[in-house]
Coordinates of all heavy atoms in Angstrom, one line a residue:
I1 N -2.8 30.6 -229.9 CA -3.1 32.1 -230.0 C -4.5 32.3 -230.3 O -5.1 31.7 -231.2 CB -2.3 32.9 -231.1 CG1 -0.7 32.6 -230.9 CG2 -2.6 34.2 -231.4 CD1 -0.3 33.5 -229.7
K2 N -5.1 33.1 -229.5 CA -6.6 33.5 -229.7 C -6.7 34.8 -230.2 O -5.8 35.7 -230.0 CB -7.4 33.2 -228.4 CG -7.4 31.8 -228.0 CD -8.4 31.6 -226.9 CE -8.6 30.1 -226.5 NZ -9.7 29.9 -225.4
E3 N -7.9 35.2 -230.6 CA -8.1 36.6 -231.1 C -9.4 37.2 -230.5 O -10.2 36.6 -230.0 CB -8.3 36.5 -232.6 CG -7.1 36.2 -233.5 CD -7.4 36.3 -235.0 OE1 -8.6 36.6 -235.3 OE2 -6.5 36.2 -235.8
K4 N -9.2 38.5 -230.3 CA -10.3 39.3 -229.8 C -10.6 40.5 -230.6 O -9.6 41.4 -230.8 CB -10.0 39.6 -228.3 CG -11.1 40.4 -227.6 CD -10.8 40.6 -226.1 CE -12.0 41.2 -225.4 NZ -11.7 41.2 -223.9
K5 N -11.9 40.8 -231.1 CA -12.1 41.9 -231.9 C -12.6 43.0 -230.9 O -13.4 42.8 -230.0 CB -13.2 41.6 -232.9 CG -12.8 40.7 -234.0 CD -13.7 40.5 -235.0 CE -13.4 39.5 -236.2 NZ -14.4 39.3 -237.1
V6 N -12.0 44.2 -231.0 CA -12.4 45.3 -230.2 C -12.8 46.5 -231.0 O -11.9 47.0 -231.9 CB -11.2 45.6 -229.3 CG1 -11.6 46.8 -228.3 CG2 -10.7 44.4 -228.4
P7 N -13.9 47.1 -230.8 CA -14.3 48.3 -231.5 C -13.4 49.5 -231.0 O -13.1 49.5 -229.8 CB -15.8 48.5 -231.2 CG -15.9 47.9 -229.9 CD -15.0 46.7 -229.9
T8 N -13.1 50.5 -231.8 CA -12.3 51.7 -231.4 C -13.2 52.8 -231.7 O -14.0 52.9 -232.7 CB -11.0 51.7 -232.0 OG1 -11.2 51.7 -233.5 CG2 -10.2 50.5 -231.6
Y9 N -13.0 53.9 -231.0 CA -13.7 55.2 -231.2 C -12.8 56.3 -231.1 O -11.8 56.4 -230.3 CB -14.8 55.3 -230.1 CG -15.7 54.1 -229.9 CD1 -15.3 53.2 -229.0 CD2 -16.8 53.8 -230.8 CE1 -16.2 52.0 -228.7 CE2 -17.5 52.6 -230.6 CZ -17.3 51.8 -229.6 OH -17.9 50.6 -229.5
R10 N -13.1 57.4 -231.9 CA -12.1 58.4 -232.0 C -12.9 59.8 -232.3 O -13.8 59.7 -233.1 CB -11.0 58.2 -233.0 CG -10.1 59.4 -233.3 CD -9.1 59.1 -234.3 NE -8.1 58.2 -233.9 CZ -7.0 58.5 -233.3 NH1 -6.7 59.8 -233.1 NH2 -6.1 57.6 -232.9
T11 N -12.5 60.8 -231.6 CA -13.0 62.2 -232.0 C -11.7 62.9 -232.4 O -10.7 62.4 -232.5 CB -13.6 62.8 -230.8 OG1 -12.6 63.2 -229.9 CG2 -14.6 62.0 -230.1
H12 N -12.0 64.2 -232.8 CA -10.8 65.0 -233.3 C -9.9 65.2 -232.2 O -8.7 65.6 -232.5 CB -11.4 66.3 -233.9 CG -11.8 67.3 -232.9 ND1 -13.0 67.2 -232.2 CD2 -11.2 68.4 -232.5 CE1 -13.2 68.3 -231.4 NE2 -12.0 69.0 -231.5
H13 N -10.2 65.0 -230.9 CA -9.3 65.1 -229.8 C -8.3 64.0 -229.7 O -7.2 64.2 -229.2 CB -10.1 65.3 -228.5 CG -10.8 66.5 -228.4 ND1 -12.2 66.5 -228.2 CD2 -10.5 67.9 -228.5 CE1 -12.7 67.8 -228.2 NE2 -11.7 68.5 -228.4
G14 N -8.8 62.8 -230.2 CA -7.9 61.6 -230.1 C -8.8 60.4 -229.8 O -10.1 60.5 -229.9
P15 N -8.1 59.3 -229.5 CA -9.0 58.0 -229.3 C -9.6 58.1 -227.9 O -9.2 58.7 -227.0 CB -7.9 57.0 -229.4 CG -6.7 57.5 -228.9 CD -6.7 59.0 -229.4
I16 N -10.8 57.5 -227.9 CA -11.6 57.3 -226.5 C -10.8 56.3 -225.8 O -10.6 55.1 -226.2 CB -12.9 56.8 -226.7 CG1 -13.8 57.8 -227.6 CG2 -13.7 56.7 -225.5 CD1 -13.9 59.2 -227.0
T17 N -10.3 56.6 -224.6 CA -9.4 55.8 -223.8 C -10.1 55.2 -222.5 O -9.7 54.2 -222.0 CB -8.0 56.3 -223.5 OG1 -8.3 57.6 -222.8 CG2 -7.3 56.5 -224.8
H18 N -11.1 56.1 -221.9 CA -11.7 55.7 -220.6 C -12.9 56.5 -220.4 O -13.3 57.3 -221.3 CB -10.6 55.8 -219.6 CG -10.1 57.3 -219.4 ND1 -9.3 57.8 -220.4 CD2 -10.2 58.1 -218.4 CE1 -9.0 59.0 -219.9 NE2 -9.5 59.2 -218.7
M19 N -13.4 56.3 -219.2 CA -14.6 57.0 -218.8 C -14.2 58.0 -217.6 O -13.4 57.6 -216.7 CB -15.7 56.1 -218.4 CG -16.3 55.2 -219.3 SD -17.7 56.0 -220.1 CE -18.9 55.6 -219.0
V20 N -14.8 59.2 -217.6 CA -14.7 60.1 -216.5 C -16.0 60.8 -216.2 O -16.7 61.3 -217.2 CB -13.6 61.2 -216.8 CG1 -13.6 62.3 -215.6 CG2 -12.3 60.7 -217.0
D21 N -16.5 60.6 -215.0 CA -17.8 61.2 -214.6 C -18.9 60.7 -215.5 O -19.9 61.4 -215.9 CB -17.7 62.7 -214.6 CG -16.8 63.2 -213.6 OD1 -16.6 62.5 -212.6 OD2 -16.2 64.3 -213.9
G22 N -18.8 59.4 -215.9 CA -19.8 58.8 -216.8 C -19.7 59.2 -218.3 O -20.6 58.9 -219.1
Q23 N -18.7 60.0 -218.7 CA -18.6 60.3 -220.1 C -17.5 59.7 -220.7 O -16.3 59.5 -220.1 CB -18.3 61.8 -220.1 CG -19.6 62.7 -219.7 CD -19.3 64.2 -219.9 OE1 -19.0 64.9 -219.0 NE2 -19.4 64.7 -221.2
W24 N -17.6 59.4 -222.0 CA -16.5 58.9 -222.8 C -15.4 60.0 -222.9 O -15.7 61.2 -223.1 CB -16.9 58.5 -224.2 CG -17.7 57.4 -224.3 CD1 -18.4 56.7 -223.3 CD2 -18.0 56.5 -225.5 NE1 -19.1 55.6 -223.8 CE2 -18.8 55.5 -225.2 CE3 -17.6 56.8 -226.8 CZ2 -19.3 54.6 -226.1 CZ3 -18.1 55.8 -227.7 CH2 -18.8 54.7 -227.4
T25 N -14.2 59.6 -222.7 CA -13.0 60.5 -222.7 C -12.0 60.2 -223.5 O -11.5 59.0 -223.7 CB -12.5 60.6 -221.1 OG1 -13.5 61.0 -220.3 CG2 -11.4 61.7 -221.0
A26 N -11.6 61.3 -224.4 CA -10.6 61.1 -225.3 C -9.2 61.6 -224.8 O -9.2 62.6 -224.0 CB -10.9 61.9 -226.6
S27 N -8.1 60.9 -225.2 CA -6.8 61.4 -224.7 C -6.1 62.0 -226.0 O -6.0 61.4 -227.0 CB -6.0 60.1 -224.3 OG -6.6 59.6 -223.1
A28 N -5.5 63.2 -225.8 CA -4.8 63.9 -226.7 C -3.4 64.0 -226.3 O -3.0 64.3 -225.3 CB -5.3 65.3 -226.8
M29 N -2.5 63.7 -227.3 CA -1.1 63.8 -227.1 C -0.3 64.0 -228.4 O -0.9 63.8 -229.5 CB -0.5 62.5 -226.3 CG -0.5 61.2 -227.1 SD 0.2 59.9 -226.0 CE 0.6 58.8 -227.4
M30 N 1.0 64.3 -228.4 CA 1.7 64.4 -229.6 C 1.8 63.0 -230.3 O 2.2 62.1 -229.7 CB 3.0 64.9 -229.3 CG 3.9 65.3 -230.5 SD 4.6 64.0 -231.6 CE 5.7 63.2 -230.3
W31 N 1.3 63.0 -231.6 CA 1.5 61.8 -232.4 C 1.8 62.1 -233.8 O 1.0 62.1 -234.7 CB 0.2 60.9 -232.2 CG 0.5 59.4 -232.6 CD1 0.3 58.9 -233.8 CD2 1.2 58.5 -231.8 NE1 0.8 57.7 -233.8 CE2 1.3 57.4 -232.6 CE3 1.7 58.5 -230.5 CZ2 2.0 56.2 -232.2 CZ3 2.3 57.3 -230.0 CH2 2.4 56.3 -230.9
E32 N 3.1 62.5 -234.1 CA 3.6 62.9 -235.3 C 4.8 62.0 -235.4 O 5.9 62.6 -235.4 CB 3.8 64.3 -235.5 CG 2.6 65.2 -235.3 CD 2.8 66.7 -235.7 OE1 3.1 66.9 -236.9 OE2 2.8 67.4 -234.8
P33 N 4.7 60.8 -235.8 CA 5.8 59.9 -235.7 C 6.9 60.2 -236.8 O 8.1 60.1 -236.5 CB 5.3 58.4 -236.0 CG 3.9 58.7 -236.6 CD 3.5 60.0 -236.1
V34 N 6.6 60.6 -237.9 CA 7.6 61.0 -239.0 C 8.5 62.2 -238.5 O 9.7 62.1 -238.5 CB 7.0 61.4 -240.4 CG1 8.0 61.8 -241.3 CG2 6.2 60.1 -240.8
K35 N 7.8 63.2 -238.1 CA 8.6 64.4 -237.5 C 9.4 64.1 -236.3 O 10.5 64.6 -236.1 CB 7.6 65.5 -237.3 CG 6.9 66.2 -238.5 CD 6.0 67.3 -238.1 CE 6.6 68.4 -237.4 NZ 5.6 69.5 -237.2
A36 N 8.8 63.2 -235.4 CA 9.5 63.0 -234.1 C 10.8 62.1 -234.5 O 11.9 62.3 -234.0 CB 8.5 62.1 -233.3
L37 N 10.7 61.2 -235.5 CA 11.8 60.4 -235.9 C 12.9 61.3 -236.6 O 14.0 61.1 -236.3 CB 11.3 59.2 -236.8 CG 12.2 58.0 -237.0 CD1 12.5 57.3 -235.7 CD2 11.5 57.1 -237.9
E38 N 12.4 62.2 -237.4 CA 13.2 63.1 -238.0 C 14.0 63.9 -237.0 O 15.2 64.1 -237.1 CB 12.4 64.0 -239.0 CG 13.2 65.0 -239.7 CD 12.3 65.8 -240.6 OE1 11.1 65.6 -240.7 OE2 12.9 66.8 -241.3
Q39 N 13.3 64.5 -236.0 CA 13.9 65.2 -235.1 C 15.0 64.5 -234.3 O 16.1 65.0 -233.9 CB 12.9 65.9 -234.1 CG 13.6 66.8 -233.1 CD 12.6 67.7 -232.3 OE1 11.3 67.5 -232.4 NE2 13.0 68.6 -231.5
S40 N 14.6 63.3 -233.9 CA 15.6 62.4 -233.1 C 16.9 62.2 -233.8 O 17.9 62.1 -233.2 CB 14.9 61.1 -232.8 OG 13.7 61.2 -231.9
Y41 N 16.8 62.0 -235.2 CA 18.0 61.8 -235.8 C 18.7 62.9 -236.2 O 20.0 63.0 -236.0 CB 17.6 60.9 -237.2 CG 18.9 60.5 -237.9 CD1 19.5 59.2 -237.5 CD2 19.5 61.1 -238.9 CE1 20.6 58.8 -238.0 CE2 20.6 60.7 -239.6 CZ 21.2 59.5 -239.0 OH 22.4 59.0 -239.6
V42 N 18.0 64.0 -236.6 CA 18.7 65.2 -237.1 C 19.4 65.9 -235.8 O 20.5 66.4 -236.1 CB 17.7 66.3 -237.6 CG1 18.3 67.6 -237.7 CG2 17.1 65.8 -239.0
R43 N 19.0 65.6 -234.7 CA 19.6 66.2 -233.5 C 21.1 65.8 -233.4 O 21.9 66.5 -233.0 CB 18.8 65.7 -232.3 CG 19.4 66.1 -230.9 CD 18.8 65.3 -229.8 NE 17.3 65.5 -229.8 CZ 16.5 64.6 -229.8 NH1 16.8 63.3 -229.8 NH2 15.2 64.8 -229.7
T44 N 21.3 64.5 -233.8 CA 22.7 63.9 -233.6 C 23.7 64.5 -234.4 O 24.9 64.3 -234.2 CB 22.6 62.3 -233.8 OG1 22.4 62.1 -235.1 CG2 21.5 61.9 -232.8

């Protein structure tokens, strides 16, 4: 097993995931794991 250190970058929009038109681009999506898990169970 080998290891690789990778720097990560984040703005308030989300983590930087790729480049678009030469600009760093952040991806925004729903990431509220506690509430999501709660909803998934309460539903049943």
